[in-house]
Amino acid sequence: MRDPERRRWLALGALALSVLVVGLDLTVLNLALPTLGTDLHASTSDLQWFIDTYSLVLAAALLPAGLLGDRYGRKKLLVAALILFGVASLACAYSQTSGELMAARAVLGLGAAVILPLSIAVIPVLFTPQERQKAIAVVMGAVFIGYPLGPILGGWLLDTFWWGSVFLINVPVIAIALVAVTLLMPESRSEHRPRIDVAGVAISSVGLVSLVYGFIKAGQDGWGDATALATILGGVAILAAFVLWERHVSRRPGGQPLVQLSLFESAGFTWGTILSTLVSFALFGILFAMPLYFRDVRGLDSLGAGLRLLPMIGGMVVGMVIGTRLQSPPKTPEAADPAAPPAPRVSAKALVATGFAVMAAALASGAFTSVHSGTGFGAVWFAVAGAGLGLAMPSAMNAALGALSAERSGAGSALITAFRQVGAALGAAILGTVLSSAYQSQLDLPGLPAAAASAVRSGISGGVAVAHDLGSTALLYSVSAAFVHGLDVMLWCCAAIALAAALLALAFLPRQAGAAAAEVPAAEPVDAARALPAGQPTPEVTAAGVLTSDPARTE
């Protein structure tokens, strides 16, 4: 393909497919857990570790994955990660024991740890600042579309085939992405290869794993659990030590730290990262709590619950299209300063704040959900929340990516992804606790045997199962009403978080996404179609986004 413009955007489509399978995998497994418990004779602890193993390996490997991409080549590592993810998906599908599935899930998490940051890292290399907003919308849209698609595809696959099919669905998508990345994407890496900060890798990995595991355990066992609190505090202390170590490394002559702490001197990077992390908090109610409402309160199957999340995708697409157009500069006959970048119609600050405000209004509307709320009510506020997400998320990410140079875009993108991973675990723990506490506060279980009462208190699924076993419609309604109360309280919290994010954006986010880091020029679009004579080294992209075939820099 000789058209470099078309080739770059097709390469972006390959990246979108890559992150789509990661988004699918985050939600599709939950549907298969009951079947896995039976077929693999898995204990409750095993079932939890099927999920946690993936999350912990993902957290541990994010920062080193970004650095390795900068050093050895982002395309090279992305291709290897896609192959690894595909092989691990096959291993998951055909696992015969709980141990085999846990090991395969760990490898799956390792592949995802490379795919997520490097799919973002190549955006500053392939696209100009004016194009970056649209490119981010495509990639991040694929991530969020994967969340509701997971229950839809998973529900259909579980109803039609065996549990392994929820992992096999990854394989054809990975195959398409692999071919597209291989053929369409140019190689890129740092012109001055960063050394591997081995101590920084070890300290950051231990700290992130400890912190994420502590939040997961707090969500499961409560914030009073001694192990959870000790693990969280240990993770915070280790990460504090990591910051001190990185400062020490950066001050040494020729020191190359794993994380460039100077990035946090950029308001765009700092607040863009924080605001994109807060999205995980604000959307927790829709992505994880509402499916429970549809399944256990409304009595729908997994497929029906997933289908009712589709309006959020529609709203998100509309919001992204509107946001991208508002961030495009107006067409003027002649710029006053040809050297200055054209100003967009609406500032990033205003767009992000508006998006979060729209999300806050939608989530506040959702907090009026009742046991008898109709599908139309949910569809409307889901769509509005999706529109707010589409407005806010690309601009917030663009503000963060604007501070990254093409030289260290891998490590910088990994840092953004690590924040979002920790934020997702923290949001699930905090908001899950809010939901659980409010649910339990409304339960009235007189005369119920201790074992049955404990099952009801454990959550809505346990409560519905006990009510069906006893044939008690009164208990079923009581449990459903208690869960809806907890859901509404949690959605009010989500709305408050979204509103706080809107105010933070107005107060601290720069009006426009910054240019790339000052020490390295901003990336120009890469001529991905440039061909070299047979036998020449593979073309690569320098820090400034220019293809080179210098034999001294090839592996």
Side-chain angles (χ1 to χ4, degrees):
M1 185 181 298
R2 296 293 178 182
D3 183 358
E5 181 73 12
R6 185 182 178 194
R7 189 176 179 117
R8 285 189 300 122
W9 290 102
L10 287 176
L12 184 72
L15 295 176
L17 284 176
S18 302
V19 298
L20 176 63
V21 293
V22 176
L24 285 172
D25 198 74
L26 287 172
T27 55
V28 73
L29 180 64
N30 292 332
L31 299 176
L33 288 178
T35 308
L36 288 172
T38 301
D39 291 0
L40 296 182
H41 308 289
S43 65
T44 302
S45 176
D46 290 337
L47 295 177
Q48 191 60 51
W49 275 108
F50 293 158
I51 297 173
D52 294 350
T53 300
Y54 178 91
S55 299
L56 295 177
V57 172
L58 176 61
L62 275 172
L63 293 181
L67 176 67
L68 291 174
D70 289 337
R71 177 177 172 82
Y72 294 110
R74 298 167 193 125
K75 174 182 176 178
K76 191 182 283 98
L77 254 71
L78 190 56
V79 167
L82 287 169
I83 294 172
L84 193 66
F85 201 93
V87 171
S89 296
L90 287 171
C92 287
Y94 294 103
S95 295
Q96 300 297 312
T97 66
S98 295
E100 289 179 5
L101 183 55
M102 286 181 202
R105 287 282 293 171
V107 178
L108 209 61
L110 184 61
V114 179
I115 292 170
L116 284 175
L118 293 189
S119 295
I120 300 172
V122 298
I123 291 177
V125 177
L126 287 176
F127 299 96
T128 65
Q130 290 73 35
E131 298 170 321
R132 201 168 51 209
Q133 175 92 3
K134 186 184 296 185
I136 292 170
V138 172
V139 173
M140 297 310 299
V143 173
F144 282 99
I145 285 172
Y147 295 154
L149 281 185
I152 295 171
L153 285 175
W156 176 74
L157 290 170
L158 288 171
D159 289 342
T160 310
F161 305 104
W162 98 113
W163 62 264
S165 61
V166 301
F167 296 106
L168 285 183
I169 191 63
N170 294 339
V171 177
V173 183
I174 284 289
I176 296 170
L178 183 60
V179 172
V181 167
T182 302
L183 296 179
L184 298 172
M185 185 179 298
E187 182 60 284
S188 67
R189 70 176 189 207
S190 297
E191 186 173 13
H192 306 288
R193 295 186 184 182
R195 288 195 295 268
I196 298 177
D197 178 12
V198 177
V201 168
I203 298 170
S204 66
S205 296
V206 173
L208 285 172
V209 167
S210 179
L211 197 61
V212 170
Y213 178 73
F215 289 144
I216 290 173
K217 189 161 181 62
Q220 295 169 3
D221 303 329
W223 289 92
D225 183 77
T227 302
L229 291 177
T231 309
I232 291 172
L233 292 175
V236 171
I238 294 169
L239 290 176
F242 170 69
V243 172
L244 294 176
W245 170 256
E246 293 298 282
R247 284 181 175 174
H248 169 70
V249 172
S250 63
R251 289 169 182 166
R252 290 189 316 203
Q256 294 182 324
L258 175 62
V259 171
Q260 292 177 303
L261 297 177
S262 59
L263 285 172
F264 292 101
E265 297 173 6
S266 163
F269 179 85
T270 300
W271 289 102
T273 300
I274 291 173
L275 292 170
S276 62
T277 300
L278 287 176
V279 168
S280 300
F281 281 72
L283 288 180
F284 179 85
I286 299 179
L287 295 176
F288 297 99
M290 288 306 297
L292 289 174
Y293 168 80
F294 287 126
R295 288 202 304 265
D296 295 320
V297 176
R298 297 280 301 279
L300 302 171
D301 59 16
S302 297
L303 177 59
L307 288 172
R308 279 159 178 78
L309 296 178
L310 284 178
M312 190 185 78
I313 296 179
M316 182 177 63
V317 171
V318 171
M320 285 182 171
V321 170
I322 294 173
T324 300
R325 289 182 177 177
L326 291 176
Q327 279 285 282
S328 301
K331 295 180 179 179
T332 55
E334 194 69 40
D337 181 5
R345 294 181 175 88
V346 178
S347 70
K349 177 196 288 280
L351 202 58
V352 174
T354 300
F356 274 112
V358 170
M359 287 177 63
L363 292 164
S365 300
F368 291 96
T369 299
S370 71
V371 175
H372 305 294
S373 293
T375 299
F377 171 72
V380 171
W381 74 264
F382 283 179
V384 176
L389 170 65
L391 287 173
M393 188 62 177
S395 294
M397 283 292 294
N398 194 23
L401 288 180
L404 302 183
S405 66
E407 179 76 6
R408 292 295 301 272
S409 65
S413 298
L415 184 59
I416 296 170
T417 309
F419 266 87
R420 294 181 61 234
Q421 176 70 9
V422 171
L426 177 60
I430 293 176
L431 294 172
T433 301
V434 169
L435 172 59
S436 178
S437 299
Y439 163 73
Q440 293 176 8
S441 71
Q442 298 296 303
L443 292 174
D444 185 18
L445 309 173
L448 206 62
S454 177
V456 172
R457 291 190 185 95
S458 68
I460 178 67
S461 298
V464 169
V466 170
H468 285 314
D469 288 343
L470 297 178
S472 173
T473 55
L475 178 60
L476 180 61
Y477 182 81
S478 174
V479 166
S480 298
F483 177 81
V484 170
H485 169 74
L487 174 67
D488 290 345
V489 170
M490 189 202 63
L491 287 173
W492 278 117
C493 293
C494 292
I497 292 168
L499 181 59
L503 296 176
L504 289 173
L506 284 175
F508 299 110
L509 195 68
R511 290 186 58 83
Q512 304 304 336
E519 68 274 10
V520 180
E524 294 297 329
V526 174
D527 183 357
R530 179 176 174 179
L532 292 177
Q536 290 293 318
T538 302
E540 298 192 14
V541 184
T542 69
V546 181
L547 285 173
T548 179
S549 56
D550 181 0
R553 292 185 55 244
T554 58
E555 286 76 13

